[in-house]
Amino acid sequence: QVQLVESGGGLVQPGGSLRLSCAASGSIFSINVMGWYRQAPGKGRELVATITSRGTAGYADSLKGRFTISRDNAKKTVYLQMNSLKPDDTAVYYCNAKGVAILSALTLPEIWGQGTLVTVSS
């Protein structure tokens, strides 16, 4: 079974840092794009950042400079380093993968993780 498993969420004080990880498991050959989205209480899901298999990263304009996305293709893992966190960053953070090529020669268009909660509060 192909799945994404996030980790690293939790409670952090304003101004603090947190690093999220998302590992893909299953019979995966390659993943085209991996990324992070978030959904704050009472709001819709929004893009945080994406990164291609070649390492090209893109960010939501409002998060540039504070968040950094990276990935380890060999480990099929994507990371999100979050610095200078604000209460407005409180949300469930979801990992996303697009173009997941599995060993049976099929490609899954998109899969999602179950989410990890980040709470920024004093």
Side-chain angles (χ1 to χ4, degrees):
Q1 182 179 1
V2 175
Q3 60 180 354
L4 301 174
V5 179
E6 300 105 331
S7 60
L11 174 64
V12 62
Q13 292 187 344
S17 297
L18 213 55
R19 188 190 194 210
L20 305 183
S21 299
C22 169
S25 63
S27 301
I28 298 172
F29 177 71
S30 65
I31 302 173
N32 186 14
V33 180
M34 300 187 79
W36 292 93
Y37 292 72
R38 69 183 184 182
Q39 186 166 14
K43 296 186 178 181
R45 192 172 297 189
E46 63 175 0
L47 170 71
V48 174
T50 61
I51 186 167
T52 69
S53 58
R54 295 187 176 185
T56 301
Y59 298 90
D61 287 342
S62 61
L63 301 177
K64 287 180 181 178
R66 293 196 300 123
F67 289 14
T68 302
I69 191 170
S70 61
R71 68 187 278 179
D72 185 328
N73 289 332
K75 294 182 178 180
K76 298 182 181 63
T77 299
V78 64
Y79 306 95
L80 185 68
Q81 178 67 42
M82 304 184 291
N83 299 326
S84 303
L85 284 163
K86 307 174 183 178
D88 284 350
D89 295 318
T90 296
V92 177
Y93 284 71
Y94 295 92
C95 182
N96 174 272
K98 293 182 174 62
V100 182
I102 57 179
L103 295 178
S104 62
L106 296 176
T107 298
L108 303 176
E110 185 175 49
I111 56 174
W112 289 91
Q114 82 287 353
T116 185
L117 177 62
V118 172
T119 302
V120 184
S121 175
S122 55

